[in-house]
Amino acid sequence: MTDASLNPSPEPGHAPVVLDIAGTRLDGNDRRRLQHPLTGGLILFARNWIDRAQLTALTSEIKAIRPDLLICVDHEGGRVQRFRTDGFTHLPPMQVLGEAWMRDAMAATNAATAAGYVLGAELRACGVDLSFTPVLDLDHGGSGVIGDRAFHRDARVATLLAKSLMHGLLQAGMANCGKHFPGHGFVKADSHLALPVDKRSLKAILADDAKPYEWLSTSLASVMPAHVVYPKVDPAPAGFSERWLRQILRGDLEFQGAIFSDDLSMEGAKVAGSTLDAALAALGAGCDMVLLCNQSIGGGAAVDALLDGLQAAGQDGRWRPDGDSETRRLALLPLTPPLPWDELMHEPAYQYALERLP
């Protein structure tokens, strides 16, 4: 019997859980959870922000505990921008870039690259590794939760603007995450509050809303599926569907990057059962990482239950850790050191990008 077989933890090292923290500094529970072998990421929210000095100190402490931890945020521009004060640029909603495209397509792609660079460089200067952007959903006109977060109705325009934004992120040393596969823009319901249903055929979806994922298959570093049911394809929401994730996204569209679940605390995820059931379903369907947001407030019992439950599932065979998933997670970490904020403010490329924001 080898030493490895005596170890009850679910090795080989796959850290699929992305969790959050309640406040603006770490407490004892946060530090304990960040050291859990199944914790692979942390997502920040506006409640975790006071100013740049506090954010930078927070991310530095997190990295001191776990250098490999992926520090994430939803920071798209427009109404989805967690940090808005103390020097952070107010980025426009992506719809503004789509409108700019209609006036001057090539200038709009340049502006999108500038937006991506400013977004990524400012976050990285404060120790954030990854923003869950760009939104690849198409603007069908009826979705309140997507709305002006989408670049355009035309999948070709959305693709080229997203690719330009991703180029800017890359210049800042940041990876990207296209969302919400295969498309959340057609349905009116908000998956935070309900389980949306898109009754279109697979052919219709692949020809329209999912096209950006096909066209960006060599550019996307990660993808987040939608908590939306497409009943003509699979009865399960896309984020819990092996057909959508393994067969279509990985198989047909040949996507090679990481797959994050959307937040398992959302109403659209509850069809999968408990948070642990949802995590197991998402991982089984093909997600590499699962997000659990806004559950650390008030003690974080739900976070502990997920970590402990997933560890037990690995021990009793209900879940098999995946070394390939861990490789994809680690590939999202920045490869270059960030420019400190004061240096960034004087960097010519940053100044140039600011002048070209729409």
Side-chain angles (χ1 to χ4, degrees), residues 161-183:
L161 289 173
K163 188 168 189 176
S164 298
L165 183 114
M166 287 154 50
H167 186 189
L169 292 174
L170 185 63
Q171 289 176 323
M174 181 176 281
N176 57 68
C177 182
K179 59 188 188 185
H180 305 82
F181 176 79

Side-chain angles (χ1 to χ4, degrees), residues 169-238:
L169 292 174
L170 185 63
Q171 289 176 323
M174 181 176 281
N176 57 68
C177 182
K179 59 188 188 185
H180 305 82
F181 176 79
H184 200 313
F186 187 78
V187 292
K188 293 183 179 179
D190 178 352
S191 55
H192 293 85
L193 308 173
L195 179 59
V197 177
D198 186 335
K199 297 181 179 180
R200 292 177 298 167
S201 67
L202 176 61
K203 182 179 179 180
I205 296 166
L206 291 179
D208 196 8
D209 292 61
K211 268 296 182 184
Y213 297 91
E214 176 185 344
W215 289 329
L216 295 171
S217 62
T218 57
S219 304
L220 284 168
S222 64
V223 163
M224 180 180 290
H227 288 327
V228 175
V229 172
Y230 308 86
K232 291 185 179 177
V233 182
D234 194 303

Side-chain angles (χ1 to χ4, degrees), residues 129-349:
D129 298 320
L130 177 70
S131 177
F132 291 118
T133 188
V135 170
L136 297 179
D137 303 313
L138 303 184
D139 183 9
H140 288 270
S143 173
V145 70
I146 302 302
D148 64 3
R149 297 166 66 193
F151 288 102
H152 205 273
R153 170 62 185 89
D154 189 323
R156 297 167 299 177
V157 176
T159 298
L160 289 173
L161 289 173
K163 188 168 189 176
S164 298
L165 183 114
M166 287 154 50
H167 186 189
L169 292 174
L170 185 63
Q171 289 176 323
M174 181 176 281
N176 57 68
C177 182
K179 59 188 188 185
H180 305 82
F181 176 79
H184 200 313
F186 187 78
V187 292
K188 293 183 179 179
D190 178 352
S191 55
H192 293 85
L193 308 173
L195 179 59
V197 177
D198 186 335
K199 297 181 179 180
R200 292 177 298 167
S201 67
L202 176 61
K203 182 179 179 180
I205 296 166
L206 291 179
D208 196 8
D209 292 61
K211 268 296 182 184
Y213 297 91
E214 176 185 344
W215 289 329
L216 295 171
S217 62
T218 57
S219 304
L220 284 168
S222 64
V223 163
M224 180 180 290
H227 288 327
V228 175
V229 172
Y230 308 86
K232 291 185 179 177
V233 182
D234 194 303
F240 306 110
S241 165
E242 188 170 356
R243 178 150 194 227
W244 274 117
L245 301 185
R246 294 192 192 276
Q247 296 180 18
I248 297 173
L249 182 59
R250 289 232 185 268
D252 299 340
L253 304 184
E254 300 184 343
F255 175 65
Q256 304 295 310
I259 303 176
F260 290 88
S261 81
D262 206 344
D263 175 16
L264 298 181
S265 72
M266 290 166 57
E267 192 65 32
K270 292 182 179 177
V271 66
S274 70
T275 300
L276 176 59
D277 290 338
L280 292 171
L283 292 167
C287 287
D288 300 297
M289 284 164 283
V290 291
L291 272 76
L292 183 62
C293 303
N294 302 313
Q295 300 302 300
S296 62
I297 302 167
V303 185
D304 289 329
L306 175 59
L307 291 170
D308 294 344
L310 196 55
Q311 189 158 34
Q315 292 164 357
D316 66 22
R318 287 176 291 147
W319 168 61
R320 181 184 294 275
D322 187 336
D324 290 339
S325 287
E326 184 66 1
T327 298
R328 288 189 281 264
R329 180 186 78 85
L330 294 173
L332 297 174
L333 289 165
L335 298 177
T336 57
L339 277 179
W341 188 275
D342 290 344
E343 291 184 30
L344 178 65
M345 293 301 103
H346 295 95
E347 198 224 2

Side-chain angles (χ1 to χ4, degrees), residues 83-101:
F83 315 134
R84 297 172 174 268
T85 55
D86 199 17
F88 267 91
T89 301
H90 286 208
L91 296 162
M94 294 301 98
Q95 185 182 74
V96 169
L97 289 165
E99 293 167 349
W101 173 282

